[in-house]
Each structure stands twice: as structure tokens, then as C-alpha cells.
Amino acid sequence: MNTILKTSIDKLISHKLLNKEEFVALLNNNTQELRNKLASHATFTKQRYFSNQVYIRGLIEFTNYCKNDCYYCGIRCSNQQLSRYRLTKSDILSCCTKGYDLGFRTFVLQGGEDSYYNDDRMSDIVSTIHSMFPDCAITLSLGERSYESYKQLYEAGASRYLLRHETANIEHYNKLHPDNMSYQNRMNCLHHLKDIGYQVGCGFMVGAPFQTTENLAEDLLLIQKFQPDMVGIGPYLSHKDTPFHNQPNGSLEDTLLLLSILRLMRPDLLLPATTALGTIAPDGREQGILAGANVIMPNLSPSNVRQQYSLYDNKACFGNEAAEGLADIQNRLQSIGHEITINRGDAPITNR
Ligand code: 5AD
């Protein structure tokens, strides 16, 4: 490894930050040796902050209707091939009950931007979950909404919100999204969520179409500036019924490298090994944990709808992506020296 890179790695470990050029150089020299070195430092850092504990979140994908038409996403409104579903309030509550019995203490309600779930319906669902499961955290991932809407849902009992920024570069943002969506609005939403008091997660796809190494460096710098509590990243995976169906998938190796960099930048970050990582390789999630991730989000949705939440082709949703497979997940984590904690796993206060 050349000395410039070695200096960058040392700087990342000691200063927890690099400048854009240094990030670009690190990402462009993506060798196995470099990735292994960063992964072992990231694991060491993670152990210091979280021991060998992995947080679990029960993911409930409650609607695949979406008004948006993002070019990369399988549930985009123009996809006529997809059959659409909505879970009722009672379906959602049954998922939570099942999840609670399995040991989950965080429920993540994720859906497309579906106007059926207006503020009143959504706050009713949130406040019911909050009163039925007062010891659980409720995370929402419902896309862009107004400040008032976010506030109402916070007051109803949600305390965390996941909204990937998708890319920190405006031109790149505009290549991934139609004209009626804007980077500015996305960032405004993220700032509103933070102002209201949510623990906030942003994130991006690794290897998204038209993404450059500079764009990835910009994502890392944005994360440094915005200071989210969580960061969700996974490889871009193509979906056959989208305009980007011919675009190549992102890589496992790049995603692992970015997980390690994020862990070194932010030792206390909540960093999931995402479903996309578990889809691109059978042991992708374990590899993610060994690269620095510390959260997994098994699927708690009713099994008959799971395949319809098809963000990309072959999205994993059974086996060890499924909440029912928790014993198997536990075994697999144990085999790599980790274990599940049922602790709610709030972001450390210092982090907000
Ligand atoms: N490949 C990988 N991730 C995707 N997402 C949407 N479509 C894809 C895809 N084709 C991610 C986006 C979005 C989240 C819900 O899923 O980053 O924010």
C-alpha cells in the first residue's frame, strides 16, 4: 500500500474525517488489502462502542403504493406490472404483536409515498402502537412530508425517521429522479425531522447509476456535516420494470468499504447491514457486520405481501431476512462472534 494511502487511513482513524480528495483517492484504490485493513479498524472501533451487540429492528413494509417515479425504484408509480397492497391498521398491529413476541423492541413502518396514509390515519396507527407497546421505539420511513405532518407523527409517538438523501450531488440527484422531485426538498425534510427531535437516518445507494467516486465522497462529507443518528446504505440493484433496468448493480465490496469508512468517521453511528446487502450475497449481511455495521432489520411484514415490496429484483425477504428466522439469524451472528441485543438501541444522546 502506498504511503499516501497509509497516511489517509491513519488520518481517518485519528481525525475521523478526510477531505474530498483524500476520500476519492481512498475509494479509487479499493484493493482487498485496503478493505481488510479498514474493516479490522472499523470492527475494533465498533467493539469499543457497542461490544459485540447487534440491534434488531422489525421492518413492516405496509404499503407499496407510491406517488413518486424514481427511475431506480421498482415500486415507482409508473410500474404497471406490480400488484399493489396496503396493510390495514389491524394487519400492522398483528405484525407488531408477532414482532414483540419474537423479541423486537423497535418497529420500522416503511412505505411508499401513499396519500391514503394521511396524517390522521398515520397518527392513529402510530399512537395505537405507542400505547400497546410503550416500551418499543417506532421508526417511520414514509418519504417526504410536511413539517406539520412530521411533527404530528412525532407527537403521536414516533421517535425515529429514515429518509435516505439518495445522493449529495444535485446534478446526480436530478439524474435519478423526475423533475417534480428536488434535492432541496429532500434536505429540507431531513432538517425538519432533526429540528422536531427525531433520531434521523439518511443514506444512499452504492453504485447508483451515474454515481462517480466524487459523488460518494460528497455523500460522506454531507453525512459528516448533517450528523445523522443512522445511515442506511446498500448496493444499487436493478429492477427489470424501471428505466434503469440495464444499469449494472453496485458492488458488495464497495458497500463494505463504505460501511467501514462510515464506522471510522462516526464510531457511535447506527449502521444497518441492509436487505440489499443480504440480497447481493447470501452472507452479505454478516459481511456487513464484520465491516462495521451494527443493526439488522428483519422483515416482519405478512409473508403473502413481501414479494410485492419489490424495490429491486430478487429482493430477499424470506429465510434469514425474515423475522421468523430470528433463531437462524442469531446462530449466524454467533458464528461471527456477535449477538442480538433486544435493547431498544437508541442513538447515544451525545450524537443528536
Ligand atoms: N436498489 C437498491 N436500493 C434501492 N432503493 C430503491 N430502489 C432501489 C434499488 N433499485 C432504496 C432507496 C430508497 C430505499 C427505500 O430503497 O435508497 O430510499
Side-chain angles (χ1 to χ4, degrees), residues 268-298:
D268 57 355
L269 195 63
L270 294 165
L271 196 54
T274 53
T275 307
L277 201 55
T279 300
I280 200 168
D283 62 345
R285 243 183 4 194
E286 289 92 311
Q287 293 200 53
I289 298 289
L290 291 174
N294 65 337
V295 178
I296 53 173
M297 299 167 66

Coordinates of all heavy atoms in Angstrom, one line a residue, residues 268-298:
D268 N -20.1 6.0 16.9 CA -21.4 5.7 17.6 C -22.6 5.6 16.6 O -23.7 5.5 17.0 CB -21.7 6.8 18.6 CG -21.7 8.1 18.0 OD1 -21.5 8.3 16.8 OD2 -22.1 9.1 18.7
L269 N -22.3 5.5 15.3 CA -23.4 5.5 14.3 C -24.2 4.2 14.4 O -23.7 3.1 14.5 CB -22.8 5.7 13.0 CG -23.7 6.1 11.8 CD1 -24.3 7.5 12.0 CD2 -22.8 6.1 10.5
L270 N -25.5 4.3 14.2 CA -26.4 3.2 13.9 C -26.3 2.9 12.5 O -26.7 3.7 11.6 CB -27.8 3.4 14.4 CG -27.9 3.6 15.9 CD1 -29.2 4.2 16.3 CD2 -27.7 2.3 16.7
L271 N -25.8 1.7 12.1 CA -25.4 1.4 10.8 C -25.9 0.0 10.4 O -25.3 -1.0 10.7 CB -23.9 1.5 10.7 CG -23.1 1.6 9.4 CD1 -23.6 2.8 8.5 CD2 -21.6 1.7 9.6
P272 N -27.1 0.0 9.7 CA -27.6 -1.3 9.3 C -26.9 -2.0 8.2 O -26.4 -1.4 7.3 CB -29.1 -1.0 8.9 CG -29.1 0.4 8.6 CD -27.9 1.1 9.3
A273 N -26.8 -3.4 8.4 CA -26.4 -4.2 7.2 C -27.8 -4.5 6.5 O -28.6 -5.2 7.0 CB -25.8 -5.5 7.7
T274 N -28.0 -3.8 5.4 CA -29.3 -3.7 4.8 C -29.7 -4.9 4.0 O -28.9 -5.8 3.7 CB -29.4 -2.5 3.9 OG1 -28.3 -2.6 2.9 CG2 -29.2 -1.2 4.6
T275 N -31.0 -4.9 3.7 CA -31.6 -6.1 2.9 C -30.9 -6.1 1.5 O -30.6 -7.2 1.0 CB -33.1 -5.8 2.6 OG1 -33.7 -5.6 3.9 CG2 -33.7 -7.0 2.0
A276 N -30.5 -5.0 0.9 CA -29.8 -5.0 -0.4 C -28.5 -5.8 -0.3 O -28.1 -6.5 -1.2 CB -29.6 -3.6 -0.9
L277 N -27.8 -5.6 0.9 CA -26.6 -6.3 1.1 C -26.8 -7.8 1.3 O -26.0 -8.6 0.8 CB -25.9 -5.7 2.4 CG -24.4 -5.8 2.6 CD1 -23.6 -5.3 1.4 CD2 -24.1 -5.1 3.9
G278 N -27.9 -8.1 1.9 CA -28.3 -9.5 2.1 C -28.8 -10.2 0.8 O -28.8 -11.4 0.7
T279 N -29.1 -9.3 -0.2 CA -29.6 -9.8 -1.4 C -28.5 -10.1 -2.4 O -28.5 -11.0 -3.2 CB -30.6 -8.8 -2.1 OG1 -31.7 -8.6 -1.1 CG2 -31.2 -9.3 -3.4
I280 N -27.5 -9.2 -2.4 CA -26.4 -9.3 -3.3 C -25.5 -10.5 -3.1 O -24.9 -11.0 -4.0 CB -25.6 -8.0 -3.4 CG1 -24.8 -7.9 -4.8 CG2 -24.7 -7.8 -2.3 CD1 -24.2 -6.5 -5.0
A281 N -25.4 -10.9 -1.8 CA -24.6 -12.1 -1.4 C -25.4 -12.8 -0.3 O -25.9 -12.2 0.6 CB -23.2 -11.7 -1.0
P282 N -25.3 -14.2 -0.3 CA -26.1 -14.9 0.8 C -25.6 -14.6 2.2 O -26.4 -14.5 3.1 CB -25.8 -16.4 0.4 CG -25.0 -16.4 -0.8 CD -24.7 -15.0 -1.3
D283 N -24.3 -14.3 2.3 CA -23.8 -13.9 3.6 C -23.5 -12.4 3.7 O -22.6 -12.0 4.5 CB -22.6 -14.7 4.0 CG -21.4 -14.5 3.0 OD1 -21.7 -13.9 1.9 OD2 -20.3 -14.8 3.3
G284 N -24.1 -11.6 2.8 CA -23.8 -10.2 2.7 C -24.0 -9.4 4.0 O -23.2 -8.5 4.4
R285 N -25.1 -9.8 4.7 CA -25.3 -9.1 6.0 C -24.3 -9.4 7.0 O -23.8 -8.5 7.7 CB -26.7 -9.5 6.5 CG -27.6 -8.4 6.6 CD -28.9 -8.6 7.1 NE -29.1 -10.0 7.6 CZ -30.3 -10.5 7.9 NH1 -31.4 -9.8 7.7 NH2 -30.4 -11.7 8.4
E286 N -23.8 -10.6 7.1 CA -22.7 -11.0 8.0 C -21.5 -10.2 7.6 O -20.7 -9.7 8.5 CB -22.4 -12.5 8.1 CG -23.5 -13.3 8.7 CD -24.6 -13.8 7.8 OE1 -25.1 -13.0 7.0 OE2 -24.9 -15.0 7.8
Q287 N -21.2 -10.2 6.3 CA -20.0 -9.4 5.9 C -20.2 -8.0 6.2 O -19.2 -7.3 6.6 CB -19.9 -9.6 4.4 CG -19.5 -11.0 3.9 CD -18.9 -11.0 2.5 OE1 -17.9 -10.3 2.3 NE2 -19.5 -11.8 1.6
G288 N -21.4 -7.4 6.2 CA -21.6 -6.0 6.6 C -21.3 -5.8 8.0 O -20.7 -4.8 8.4
I289 N -21.8 -6.8 8.9 CA -21.5 -6.7 10.3 C -20.0 -6.7 10.5 O -19.4 -5.9 11.3 CB -22.1 -7.8 11.1 CG1 -23.7 -7.8 10.9 CG2 -21.7 -7.9 12.5 CD1 -24.4 -6.7 11.6
L290 N -19.3 -7.5 9.8 CA -17.8 -7.6 10.0 C -17.1 -6.4 9.4 O -15.9 -6.2 9.7 CB -17.3 -8.9 9.4 CG -17.7 -10.2 10.1 CD1 -17.3 -11.4 9.4 CD2 -17.2 -10.2 11.6
A291 N -17.8 -5.6 8.6 CA -17.2 -4.4 8.0 C -17.5 -3.2 8.9 O -16.9 -2.1 8.7 CB -17.6 -4.2 6.6
G292 N -18.4 -3.3 9.9 CA -18.6 -2.2 10.8 C -20.1 -1.9 11.1 O -20.4 -1.1 11.9
A293 N -21.0 -2.6 10.4 CA -22.5 -2.4 10.7 C -22.8 -3.0 12.0 O -22.2 -3.9 12.5 CB -23.3 -3.0 9.6
N294 N -23.9 -2.5 12.6 CA -24.4 -3.0 13.9 C -25.9 -3.0 14.1 O -26.4 -3.1 15.2 CB -23.8 -2.1 15.0 CG -24.3 -0.6 15.0 OD1 -24.8 -0.2 14.0 ND2 -24.3 0.0 16.1
V295 N -26.6 -3.0 13.0 CA -28.1 -3.1 13.1 C -28.5 -4.1 11.9 O -28.0 -4.0 10.8 CB -28.7 -1.7 12.8 CG1 -30.2 -1.8 12.8 CG2 -28.2 -0.7 13.8
I296 N -29.5 -4.9 12.2 CA -30.2 -5.6 11.1 C -31.7 -5.4 11.2 O -32.2 -5.2 12.3 CB -29.8 -7.1 11.1 CG1 -30.1 -7.8 12.4 CG2 -28.4 -7.4 10.6 CD1 -29.9 -9.3 12.4
M297 N -32.3 -5.5 10.1 CA -33.8 -5.1 10.1 C -34.6 -6.3 9.4 O -35.0 -6.2 8.3 CB -34.0 -3.8 9.3 CG -33.3 -2.7 10.0 SD -33.1 -1.2 9.0 CE -34.8 -0.7 8.8
P298 N -34.8 -7.4 10.2 CA -35.5 -8.5 9.6 C -37.0 -8.1 9.2 O -37.6 -7.2 9.8 CB -35.5 -9.6 10.6 CG -34.4 -9.2 11.5 CD -34.3 -7.7 11.5

